[in-house]
């Protein structure tokens, strides 16, 4: 590397490390708000978060960021950089150009609008009154359309939005992928609905003391290889995971006294996110690559641990005895197979976040199709409830009795997060495809689970995925690990096999 | 106010609010490190703290800060500002000039040196080997002497250091104040040593379960009027209080299983700091005045609650029954008067932080006199152990058997915090003087305590002290509240009356 390039890189690293520091601070300020900050400090805290977020935005769009990324993008300079360095430059440049292109005034108005809209949405959801929220949503859509023009229309307008969360996936690819998935899942769901072999879930409706739930959750996290010297578990209303840095990854759960499975599976879910963040290579610390490759890849790791491992027969044949020991009265006389069937019961329901492993994907496909209609076909906001309800009837055979149980259920649109939903289902598909390779390369996979020896699985995932952080793109990861691009058949195969057996179809 | 002044003030407020935001972030980053941040994240966290501290320093010494404070210091502009605004300008200007005057290179070297010296000090304290620490301490003293030259020598070199923590107090005043205090406390301590009426403390040496200690601590904080919607109580190795903003004031304590009084009095102490911070006027939020008036005034509030209220007879005649209910086995058969005498026992001991309410002041006077010798008389670092031990013999009648129990006991000097110690004893003196007025203006003071009605006391302190934050100077506060400048006789009177009765002198 030439001396000049070396010196410039050192200066650039200073800027990156500043960005990392502010990002860690923001992470902690948010974590604290959600885990126990006193109510009366919230207003001042919000200003502090706004201040530091503003500072991050300022650095990302600063003249120096523009100049550095331009300099390091010259072919004769790129030649001298490592792959990781080039990826850093590419990601920073993308962020720079995206943020730069929006007029400051529009962005400011948009920020105020979305902050306000979230409160309006909360009230609308409470009352089920879509009309009170619609004007705000229309404005958010209008701003987003304006931003798409600034960012530049890709293959289609909605492609520009998808690109923010899952850089390699386009409407063309997703239409094919979701189409294939939907065509296999809808009949499967119908067959399950028609099956007389419904699991008994009644025994789950009991009181499960919080202290015991917490003990069991901590035990399972330990089994997964969660490093408690590099992370912690707390409580919050909505479970989440946040990686301040690979040595400080925090997850939360919410203990419901009348629901033992909620906290168990949220711990497995957030624990999966956490294993990813804890095992990112230390070399990436202080750079923007010290995070997951994409929303979808991140979600694949939470889903793999929550569903493919955590809701597997092998897992509960190993751990059900431990669960029983934590709740001897509640689970006396409940056989492991009954438990396994109960936690895998499928139901056509209205609310995405309460959906089972199978129908969840249909909830996502509905949102994907609707967002595409909004941005590519000009679907009017006022027509959303009708379209929403029709699709629920078509794919799940049910029509929401109210907008609160329908189009108003998710917070995302009130914050302008269009293009995000797809990641959830992509996570499931990535996970199933990775699982397929994992089973080939670690043929003793199920025996390991059945023996409670989960660490080799964590190590394999670290080796193949975690350590790279964001230094590879989602498609590079999935192709490097599995040898082919994203293929929805792995998820369909997995779900068909699992549920055909479970429901004796 | 002229339009120009108004506009400039708005811009200046933006800068102040940025400083407040970063200060809140730093406060949370530190709090989190000390209350449960995972071990493996500490290194990255330290970088983040360094980054944001650096940003605060940069803003405090920025060209804009220089220009704003110069502009607002013009007599024709000052005329247009409120008292609070003028105080903000004055404090910012002082900080600006102080920080500006030190060459960046010296400050950097000094920061590295003190960070390193604290580790060396920890090891030296462990082994009792003063010689291994002495070279570092010599360098720190040399740097401090250099800084004094940059800052400008006041009446004496040590005055320049005192001015950082207690702006209105000089060596001339403190020599008089501490001299008078010492002359009255030394004979009192001697009389107590000679008294045959020693309290029985044996019953305190029992196991007191942590859960019960925590419950009692929370109860007492509630009684004091600690607002749990604007604060929280956590655990840490060393108790502390930190006000992120008046709506978010956090305190910690440390529960020792074999010592029930430690956590009780640390909760009262930190609770006193917290009441101050929680009741600072909301109008000061976002300015540098949203904090205590000085270290000494802050300490007066913790000492007033810990000692003058919390170790009073009236307090325990009201709350001892509650304590007994929390520890029925441990305190069965222990009378309230025995308890009162036990928690007020006086002992000539080596360690400042374990000292009782009376001898504590002598520990501070010793440090004050030694620091003055270092900076005003050129006392050599190598001579410190000898001087230290001689003074302990002279004032407390004991000679430390090792440097670990002597000159090496406190962390302050390893961090360069010369001039700070005085604040602790000033806190006691301010507290006794304020207590004297409080008793006159609230003649039912003791009845209120005896009835467990502490809120009128908190309200009086809020009205007189808390709400002003740093908008008044320590001397303005003490004169406004008590009608006279700091007068050590109030503390001496208070201690003489209390201990003459207690030890039947």
């Amino acid at each position: 590397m030439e001396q000049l390039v070396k010196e410039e890189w050192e200066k650039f690293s200073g800027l990156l490390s500043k960005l990392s520091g502010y990002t860690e601070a923001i992470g902690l300020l948010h974590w604290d708000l959600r885990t126990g900050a006193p109510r009366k400090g919230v207003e001042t805290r919000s200003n502090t978060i706004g201040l530091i977020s503003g500072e991050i935005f300022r650095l990302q769009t600063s003249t120096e960021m523009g100049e550095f990324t331009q300099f390091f993008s010259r072919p004769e300079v790129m030649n001298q950089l490592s792959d990781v360095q080039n990826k850093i430059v590419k990601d920073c440049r993308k962020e720079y150009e995206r943020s730069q292109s929006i007029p400051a005034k529009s962005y400011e108005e948009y920020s105020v609008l979305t902050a306000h809209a979230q409160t309006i949405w909360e009230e609308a959801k409470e009352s089920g009154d879509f009309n009170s929220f619609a004007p705000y949503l229309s404005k958010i859509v209008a701003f987003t359309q304006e931003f798409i023009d600034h960012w530049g229309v890709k293959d289609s307008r909605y492609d520009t939005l998808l690109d923010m969360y899952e850089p390699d996936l386009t409407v063309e690819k997703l239409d094919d992928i979701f189409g294939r998935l939907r065509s296999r899942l809808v009949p499967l769901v119908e067959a399950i609905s028609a099956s007389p072999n419904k699991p008994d879930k009644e025994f789950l409706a009991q009181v499960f003391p919080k202290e015991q739930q917490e003990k069991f959750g901590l035990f399972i996290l330990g089994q997964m290889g969660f490093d408690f010297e590099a992370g912690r578990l707390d409580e919050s209303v909505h479970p989440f995971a946040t990686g301040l840095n690979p040595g400080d990854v925090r997850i939360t759960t919410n203990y419901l006294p009348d629901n033992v499975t909620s906290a168990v599976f949220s711990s497995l879910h957030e624990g999966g996110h956490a294993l990813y963040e804890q095992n990112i290579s230390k070399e990436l610390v202080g750079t923007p690559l010290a995070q997951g490759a994409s929303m979808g890849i991140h979600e694949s790791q939470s889903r793999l641990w929550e569903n493919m491992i955590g809701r597997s027969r092998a897992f509960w044949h190993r751990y059900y005895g431990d669960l029983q020991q934590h709740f001897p009265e509640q689970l006396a006389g409940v056989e492991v197979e009954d438990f396994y069937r109960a936690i895998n019961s499928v139901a056509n329901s209205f609310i995405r976040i309460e959906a089972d492993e199978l129908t969840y994907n249909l909830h996502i496909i509905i949102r994907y199709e609707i967002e595409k209609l909004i941005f590519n076909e000009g679907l009017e906001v006022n027509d959303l409830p009708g379209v929403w309800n029709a699709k629920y009837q078509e794919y799940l055979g049910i029509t929401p009795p109210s907008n609160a149980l329908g189009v108003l259920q998710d917070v995302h649109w009130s914050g302008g997060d269009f293009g995000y939903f797809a990641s959830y289902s992509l996570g499931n598909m990535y996970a199933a495809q990775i699982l397929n390779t994992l089973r080939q390369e670690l043929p003793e996979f199920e025996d390991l689970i059945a023996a409670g020896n989960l660490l080799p699985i964590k190590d394999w995932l670290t080796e193949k995925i975690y350590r790279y952080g964001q230094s590879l793109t989602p498609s590079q990861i999935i192709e490097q690990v599995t040898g082919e691009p994203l293929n929805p058949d792995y998820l369909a195969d997995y779900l068909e096999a699992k549920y055909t057996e479970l429901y004796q179809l």
Side-chain angles (χ1 to χ4, degrees), chain A:
Chain A
M1 203 187 274
E2 289 167 20
Q3 191 58 28
L4 172 69
V5 176
K6 210 168 163 178
E7 283 168 12
E8 286 298 295
W9 188 267
E10 264 169 40
K11 289 186 217 155
F12 184 45
S13 296
L15 177 59
L16 296 179
S17 136
K18 212 166 176 176
L19 269 168
S20 287
Y22 286 132
T23 306
E24 169 160 339
I26 279 284
L28 183 69
L29 290 161
H30 273 295
W31 171 85
D32 181 69
L33 263 190
R34 294 162 78 180
T35 54
R39 196 178 62 74
K40 291 183 183 170
V42 169
E43 197 183 322
T44 308
R45 171 65 57 85
S46 306
N47 292 340
T48 300
I49 288 176
L51 166 76
I52 297 183
S53 304
E55 195 59 24
I56 291 176
F57 185 80
R58 203 187 61 71
L59 290 175
Q60 284 173 332
T61 57
S62 61
T63 315
E64 27 166 5
M65 179 60 86
E67 288 170 357
F68 277 128
T69 51
Q70 196 170 38
F71 174 77
F72 291 117
S73 299
R74 292 187 205 164
E76 73 274 21
V77 177
M78 286 177 71
N79 285 340
Q80 302 179 48
L81 301 179
S82 70
D83 289 351
V84 165
Q85 287 174 318
N86 276 315
K87 181 66 158 62
I88 292 172
V89 172
K90 200 181 155 200
D91 288 1
C92 288
R93 185 75 200 175
K94 188 175 171 184
E95 189 64 45
Y96 171 79
E97 286 177 350
R98 221 179 59 81
S99 305
Q100 264 279 327
S101 59
I102 296 183
K105 196 166 166 293
S106 295
Y107 187 74
E108 216 178 293
E109 280 175 37
Y110 172 77
S111 302
V112 173
L113 171 65
T114 47
H116 192 185
Q118 292 194 31
T119 314
I120 302 291
W121 165 76
E122 276 171 25
E123 291 163 9
K125 187 185 173 186
E126 194 74 32
S127 65
D129 176 21
F130 182 75
N131 291 336
S132 63
F133 177 54
Y136 291 86
L137 187 54
S138 297
K139 279 188 205 158
I140 294 173
V141 168
F143 266 113
T144 309
Q145 293 281 28
E146 182 197 328
F147 295 168
I148 292 174
D149 288 325
H150 290 302
W151 288 327
V153 176
K154 302 211 173 240
D155 294 349
S156 76
R157 301 186 68 80
Y158 188 47
D159 274 295
T160 304
L161 300 177
L162 287 174
D163 181 61
M164 291 194 295
Y165 302 105
E166 212 59 26
D168 303 319
L169 289 172
T170 60
V171 166
E172 194 188 346
K173 288 185 192 169
L174 279 180
D175 276 355
D176 172 55
I177 285 166
F178 279 142
R180 280 156 69 192
L181 188 64
R182 192 187 63 214
S183 70
R184 289 184 62 183
L185 299 194
V186 171
L188 180 59
V189 169
E190 284 169 358
I192 290 171
S193 295
S195 163
N197 302 304
K198 301 273 187 287
D200 172 19
K201 291 175 64 181
E202 215 169 295
F203 66 89
L204 290 176
Q206 295 183 69
V207 173
F208 296 86
K210 187 189 129 172
E211 292 68 28
Q212 290 300 96
Q213 289 197 40
E214 188 175 358
K215 273 187 199 160
F216 186 74
L218 289 168
F219 166 68
I220 289 295
L221 286 169
Q223 292 287 303
M224 292 168 70
F226 181 91
D227 181 351
F228 285 97
E229 291 199 336
R232 46 185 286 168
L233 171 68
D234 295 86
E235 281 182 71
S236 67
V237 177
H238 301 289
F240 67 96
T242 183
L244 304 183
N245 65 63
D248 188 350
V249 179
R250 304 177 180 207
I251 63 175
T252 69
T253 189
N254 182 17
Y255 302 103
L256 305 175
D258 57 351
N259 184 334
V260 73
T261 54
S262 171
V264 169
F265 291 109
S266 88
S267 295
L268 278 155
H269 182 98
E270 305 306 338
H273 282 306
L275 289 188
Y276 196 168
E277 297 269 341
Q278 285 186 335
N279 292 292
I280 290 172
S281 166
K282 299 283 176 289
E283 288 164 27
L284 299 177
V285 172
T287 80
L289 305 186
Q291 56 179 321
S294 70
M295 303 304 308
I297 296 290
H298 226 311
E299 197 68 10
S300 78
Q301 295 314 300
S302 56
R303 301 295 172 124
L304 193 141
W305 282 98
E306 176 193 354
N307 292 331
M308 284 139 192
I309 296 172
R311 290 186 206 268
S312 73
R313 177 172 273 128
F315 186 85
W316 288 107
H317 273 267
R318 165 63 188 83
Y319 291 110
Y320 185 65
D322 292 294
L323 189 69
Q324 275 184 318
Q325 274 178 20
H326 283 76
F327 305 101
E329 285 177 36
Q330 292 86 341
L331 298 178
V334 178
E335 296 298 322
V336 59
E337 275 294 319
D338 295 333
F339 183 79
Y340 171 65
R341 292 199 69 208
I343 59 167
N344 282 297
S345 88
V346 172
N348 297 4
S349 62
F350 299 116
I351 302 294
R352 175 184 61 87
I353 60 167
E354 294 167 7
D356 56 78
E357 188 183 358
L358 167 55
T359 59
Y360 190 93
N361 300 287
L362 296 175
H363 289 265
I364 295 304
I365 290 172
I366 289 171
R367 285 153 181 75
Y368 167 76
E369 293 180 355
I370 290 176
E371 288 188 350
K372 207 175 53 167
L373 286 172
I374 296 174
F375 290 97
N376 287 357
E377 312 292 335
L379 175 66
E380 293 289 335
V381 163
N382 287 332
D383 296 332
L384 282 175
V387 175
W388 182 283
N389 292 353
K391 285 195 182 285
Y392 266 78
Q393 187 59 48
E394 185 184 350
Y395 299 157
L396 284 157
I398 53 177
T399 296
S402 74
N403 287 325
L405 291 171
V407 69
L408 283 173
Q409 70 183 266
D410 289 310
V411 67
H412 302 59
W413 292 346
S414 74
D417 292 329
F418 299 104
Y420 187 110
F421 278 119
S423 313
Y424 295 119
S425 196
L426 288 170
N428 290 334
M429 291 187 272
Y430 287 135
Q433 187 165 336
I434 290 165
L435 176 69
N436 180 64
T437 304
L438 174 51
R439 278 180 159 148
Q440 286 164 16
E441 297 193 4
L442 220 61
E444 68 278 28
F445 175 73
E446 251 143 65
D447 295 339
L448 288 170
I449 296 175
N453 187 7
L454 306 179
L455 299 188
I457 299 170
K458 186 202 83 173
D459 291 343
W460 187 89
L461 291 165
T462 298
E463 173 69 21
K464 300 284 180 178
I465 299 167
Y466 299 165
R467 65 190 174 109
Y468 294 107
Q470 201 180 290
S471 63
L472 298 178
T473 66
S475 63
Q476 282 174 329
I477 285 182
I478 202 72
E479 289 181 35
Q480 186 169 303
V481 176
T482 71
E484 61 174 311
L486 178 60
N487 177 348
D489 289 336
Y490 291 107
L491 179 61
D493 290 347
Y494 159 82
L495 292 170
E496 279 177 4
K498 177 168 181 174
Y499 288 102
T500 300
E501 192 270 347
L502 252 159
Y503 279 86
Q504 302 162 43
L505 301 178

